[in-house]
Amino acid sequence: MITTLVSLLALAAPIPGQAAPTFTEVSAQNGEISLEQFEGKTVVLEWTNDGCPFVKKHYNANNMQQLQKRAAAEEIVWIQVISSAPGKQGHADAARATHLNEDRGAKPAYVLLDEDGSMGRAYAAKTTPHMFVIDGEGMVRYNGAIDTIPSSNPDDIPNAQNYVSAALSQMKDGGEVVTKVSKPYGCSVKYADS
Amino acid sequence: MLRFLFALAAFLTAAHAQTGEAVRTGHAESRLIAETTAAVPGETLWVALAQELEEGWHVYWKNPGDSGLPLSLGWTLPEGWEAGEIGYPIPHRLPLGPLTNFGHEGSPTFLVPITVPEGFATGESVTLDVFAEWLICLDVCIPESANLSLTIPVAETAQPVPGNAERIRAAKSAAPKDLGLEARFADTDGSITLRIEGAPAGEPVFYPNEGGMVEPSAPQSTARQDGALFIGLTPGIDYQIDPPENLDGLLVLEMDGQEIGVEITAPRAVGPIITTEQKRALAAGAPARRAADSMEGTPPMALLMIFGFAILGGVILNAMPCVFPIVFLKASSVAKLGGADRATIRMDAFAYTAGVLVTFAAMAALLLALRAGGATLGWGFHLQSPIAVGFFAVVVFLIGLNLAGLFEIGTSLQGAGGELSQKKGPAGSFFTGLLAVLVAAPCIGPLLGLPIGYALAAPPAAAIAVFLALGLGLALPYLLLAVFPQLAQALPKPGMWMVRLKQLFSFAMFGTVVWLAWVVSLQAGPQGVLYLGIAFVAAAVAAWLFGLSQEKGGALPLKVAAILAFVIAFAPLTQLTTSASATAVAVNKEAYDEARLARLQAEGTPVFIDFTAAWCVTCQYNKRVVLDTPEMKQLFAETGTIFMVADLTNPDPVITNAIERQGRSGVPLYLYYNGMGDPEILPQILTADRMRETLERS
């Protein structure tokens, strides 16, 4: 009963315009990382699971890597989050997480290992990928899908509009994010069975 | 023979053509199937993507919930052909840790209507191609896709394809229906309250059409109050950011393992849609149950009122025509108490009360047990049998003759209620009480609609309590004698005045006999009245012989003759059974149930409803002459039509409302429902031909 309540409360999704849930999680290479330390910088959160076909779609097509590269160039902090529970698809320890990114040429600033799913629940992360954009004041500016075409087919990427890319551009120009929310698509986040 | 083989071969190849090749992907087998042997220009061809999923794996509904993707179909069709929207099966909640998806397991059938253009050339076969993509998940997810095709002849006529037709028709009948239910939603303390009027019975789950409106994993609280279904929903992120003006979705109701889907279109409510009390029920969140549990929802004040009405009604009952004879009987026994000692009077009053209460409790228990067994019975049901009514008539007739002085009550012939009830002492009073309830029963309904209606819907213990309250009311005037025995003591000592009084009371008995004879005439027709008349004459002869035997000091031959006459008196009554048992060949009937009706409508099962009442002569005529015949039994069986009986013998607000919805105010009313939409109203005088025409038309 208490677990249900907690998970329910935890699944109250962060709404754009509201403060992003704070977090402190172990990263693959840089020890503990928390949201506060990025004050003043735009932060992108990317929920991922290397076994998920929807994640593969964006990595195999080099789509995610390009976004990460652009973020780095603009001093935007890109954080991958792995909320797969041990034994579940996509679960990774520090070594595996690092290795995965080296293999696919991905360069996120950090990889967070959210084994217990606490951060995922705090953000109500539902799918891989599921994207969040947080501004320098710690406000959520975008919550949703990576792009407009929910499919696992890489051929759809050129025809889709990338929500994250659009949000980052609009924020850079000092404007409002036009699409603040979309329905994330992909595999369900592989949380521990509750 | 050869021709037959050719025809068979043609049939087999044809049947094969309407079923596409099955394609096996990683965790599913998929194929296209067509309902009919051919596509008919100008008509809709129903096809379906039929899938067999690996055990444990699921695919997704149009709103997949927290994650997942719905089926996508890309058609390549001949020029001018058009594929309609995918008809999804009823979804299920598929929890995955803290997330919940909406999807399908097992063997889902996705319906697609294909419009075949008018004037398309017949005689050739066409191929329908589809590129189907779906996401299939266990806990891991695999996108799968397949190129499926189906070759089908284009012809002027088409027959159902065995196998395919059943599967497609089953999917069609299970498809969500628009019952036109009125629905609204509003924000209530940070959650969404959805209010749906007149929802059929069953355990409800609401599936929003669009993602982001309702949090898929949040539990839904439900309550049924005042005819409305309330569902408490947790707003999803889209809802929170931009509260919508409409909340559309699918209401799935599960009952006894069967599910129905009802489409809901709910606009945002203008005013409040939930009262504090209803809010409390919703907050309690108990899954909606049937009306039988409504006792808990009834506030104590209303309960007190119901018991109050029941007691008051019982008192008033003493003045009702059907209880009159018993009142007279009771009055004459009270008259005998004039001058008796207090203890005797008290004993007598208590015995009478006990008789009333025990009989009420027993009848209520029997009634509830029979209803629980599914019988269509109202209060006063025992008088629905002409034998019982005939028996009562003869007993009351005998009481009348006794009061008139044709014979006196001795100690012989115990057993028949009337005689026993005139025995002096507590036993006699107890039986007077019993008789009072049995005879009063049919009067109780019309007078006490509210408590009876409540009792029949309440849990058994509460129902019996209500009936006991009624009994208490009925016995109350006599119970007063127990408290104030001086009232009875004030009566003059028995004498000639009592003989005259008894003779006067006998006319009340004969009046009751006339009423009971009339009831028998309705139940058993002219033949029944004839048998009853013979019974009266034989009973009168028996009473006269018995009286003679008393005068002659109990002469044995006279006694034997009297007993013989009594046997003869009751013998013809058994003949009433024969005419009543005509119902044995009748159609299987169900009690009127609006939820069941909605389900049957949704399934497309035709339903005939007989709004009737025991006191409605035309109804009884139609029943006897048309409805309860072997011919009708066969007709209903052949057409698969369900026969529902809405019995208004006792007041029933649900039935009354249903009648008023048709712009009528009373019975008989005969409705024929075939699928959705308004029913057909049949004439008040039915004929077998008209019934056949209506039921066979569809």
Side-chain angles (χ1 to χ4, degrees), chain A residues 15 126 143 152 181 183 190, chain B residues 65-66 139 215 238 240-241:
Chain A
I15 290 174
K126 293 180 172 182
N143 171 354
S152 60
V181 163
K183 183 169 166 48
K190 308 307 177 201
Chain B
D66 275 326
D139 58 342
E215 208 48 62
D238 288 332
Q240 291 176 52
I241 289 172

Side-chain angles (χ1 to χ4, degrees), chain A residues 7-8 11 13-16 53-54 88-89 121 125-127 143 150-152 181 183 185-194, chain B residues 60 63-69 96-99 101 133 135 139-143 211-212 215-219 237-238 240-241:
Chain A
S7 66
L8 274 181
L11 270 180
I15 290 174
F54 295 86
K88 298 264 178 173
Q89 188 189 53
R121 286 164 200 255
K126 293 180 172 182
T127 61
N143 171 354
S151 82
S152 60
V181 163
K183 183 169 166 48
Y185 70 88
C187 311
S188 54
V189 174
K190 308 307 177 201
Y191 292 110
D193 298 318
S194 56
Chain B
Y60 294 92
N63 168 13
D66 275 326
S67 62
L69 280 183
L96 259 172
L99 304 177
N101 289 326
E133 293 177 276
L135 182 67
D139 58 342
V140 296
C141 296
I142 317 277
E215 208 48 62
S217 57
I237 187 161
D238 288 332
Q240 291 176 52
I241 289 172

Side-chain angles (χ1 to χ4, degrees), chain B residues 434-478:
Chain B
L434 184 145
L435 204 60
V437 178
L438 292 183
V439 177
C443 293
I444 293 176
L447 185 69
L448 294 163
L450 175 70
I452 296 278
Y454 170 79
L456 290 181
I464 290 180
V466 170
F467 282 115
L468 286 181
L470 268 175
L472 200 63
L474 183 63
L476 204 58
Y478 308 99

Side-chain angles (χ1 to χ4, degrees), chain B residues 264-533:
Chain B
I264 298 296
T265 306
R268 183 173 283 279
V270 181
I273 59 169
I274 186 162
T275 65
T276 315
E277 197 176 299
Q278 291 161 344
K279 218 184 272 180
R280 206 175 298 134
L282 187 57
R289 291 277 170 208
R290 281 149 237 189
D293 290 349
S294 64
M295 185 72 169
E296 288 155 33
T298 313
M301 201 50 217
L303 260 184
L304 273 180
M305 293 242 310
I306 285 164
F307 282 113
F309 273 125
I311 292 178
L312 189 68
V315 174
I316 298 172
L317 213 51
N318 282 297
M320 295 299 286
C322 34
V323 194
F324 260 179
I326 306 303
V327 173
F328 281 112
L329 201 63
K330 189 66 206 144
S332 58
S333 82
V334 167
K336 281 182 207 146
L337 288 174
D341 63 89
R342 290 178 175 220
T344 311
I345 294 169
R346 219 170 245 149
M347 191 56 164
D348 187 79
F350 281 134
Y352 175 76
T353 308
V356 168
L357 292 184
V358 166
T359 315
F360 255 112
M363 283 190 65
L366 181 63
L367 175 64
L368 292 170
L370 289 174
R371 282 173 67 96
T376 315
L377 293 175
W379 184 248
F381 63 93
H382 61 291
L383 289 184
Q384 283 167 358
S385 150
I387 304 186
V389 178
F391 179 81
F392 268 117
V394 173
V395 168
V396 173
F397 180 62
L398 285 170
I399 296 173
L401 293 178
N402 163 250
L403 291 174
L406 195 62
F407 67 100
E408 291 301 319
I409 300 294
T411 44
S412 53
L413 278 185
Q414 289 179 8
E419 279 72 22
L420 202 54
S421 68
Q422 286 204 332
K423 269 186 75 181
K424 283 189 179 156
S429 287
F430 182 89
F431 280 95
T432 313
L434 184 145
L435 204 60
V437 178
L438 292 183
V439 177
C443 293
I444 293 176
L447 185 69
L448 294 163
L450 175 70
I452 296 278
Y454 170 79
L456 290 181
I464 290 180
V466 170
F467 282 115
L468 286 181
L470 268 175
L472 200 63
L474 183 63
L476 204 58
Y478 308 99
L479 212 50
L480 282 180
L481 286 181
V483 186
F484 307 107
Q486 54 272 28
L487 289 177
Q489 283 176 321
L491 288 168
K493 288 227 171 354
M496 197 54 199
W497 69 271
M498 263 198 59
V499 177
R500 296 278 170 260
L501 192 67
K502 276 170 71 180
Q503 285 169 350
L504 195 65
F505 287 173
S506 75
F507 298 113
M509 292 296 158
F510 295 134
T512 308
V513 167
V514 170
W515 171 64
L516 290 171
W518 177 73
V519 173
V520 168
S521 78
L522 295 187
Q523 290 170 323
Q527 200 73 15
V529 177
L530 180 66
Y531 289 128
L532 189 63

Side-chain angles (χ1 to χ4, degrees), chain A residues 1-191:
Chain A
M1 180 64 201
I2 287 171
T3 347
T4 323
L5 267 180
V6 169
S7 66
L8 274 181
L9 290 173
L11 270 180
I15 290 174
Q18 293 181 357
T22 56
F23 57 83
T24 303
E25 285 292 340
V26 177
S27 71
Q29 294 173 307
N30 310 74
E32 285 201 342
I33 297 293
S34 57
L35 181 60
E36 288 85 9
Q37 70 192 75
F38 304 115
E39 206 184 316
K41 287 186 176 175
T42 299
V43 174
V44 175
L45 301 180
E46 173 211 346
W47 259 264
T48 193
N49 162 0
D50 68 290
C52 167
F54 295 86
V55 171
K56 285 181 185 167
K57 164 190 172 185
H58 291 282
Y59 277 101
N60 291 349
N62 211 31
N63 187 39
M64 205 64 93
Q65 293 91 326
Q66 279 181 350
L67 277 170
Q68 290 162 357
K69 204 184 276 178
R70 172 198 162 172
E74 294 178 11
E75 298 210 339
I76 292 164
V77 183
W78 188 287
I79 301 176
Q80 271 183 348
V81 187
I82 302 174
S83 294
S84 296
K88 298 264 178 173
Q89 188 189 53
H91 175 255
D93 59 14
R96 183 167 185 270
T98 308
H99 182 71
L100 277 173
N101 280 336
E102 279 169 3
D103 266 9
R104 56 194 175 188
K107 292 197 174 77
Y110 304 96
V111 187
L112 300 187
L113 309 174
D114 179 35
E115 277 192 351
D116 64 358
S118 59
M119 182 174 168
R121 286 164 200 255
Y123 276 82
K126 293 180 172 182
T127 61
T128 51
H130 189 164
M131 311 298 298
F132 292 86
V133 180
I134 300 164
D135 67 17
E137 282 153 29
M139 295 291 169
V140 177
R141 301 294 290 271
Y142 175 75
N143 171 354
I146 174 83
D147 64 18
T148 49
I149 302 181
S151 82
S152 60
N153 185 354
D155 297 344
D156 290 329
I157 294 174
N159 301 322
Q161 285 172 305
N162 194 294
Y163 287 126
V164 176
S165 174
L168 293 177
S169 300
Q170 286 148 7
M171 285 166 69
K172 192 173 155 191
D173 298 340
E176 273 285 293
V177 172
V178 177
T179 306
K180 300 182 181 73
V181 163
S182 66
K183 183 169 166 48
Y185 70 88
C187 311
S188 54
V189 174
K190 308 307 177 201
Y191 292 110

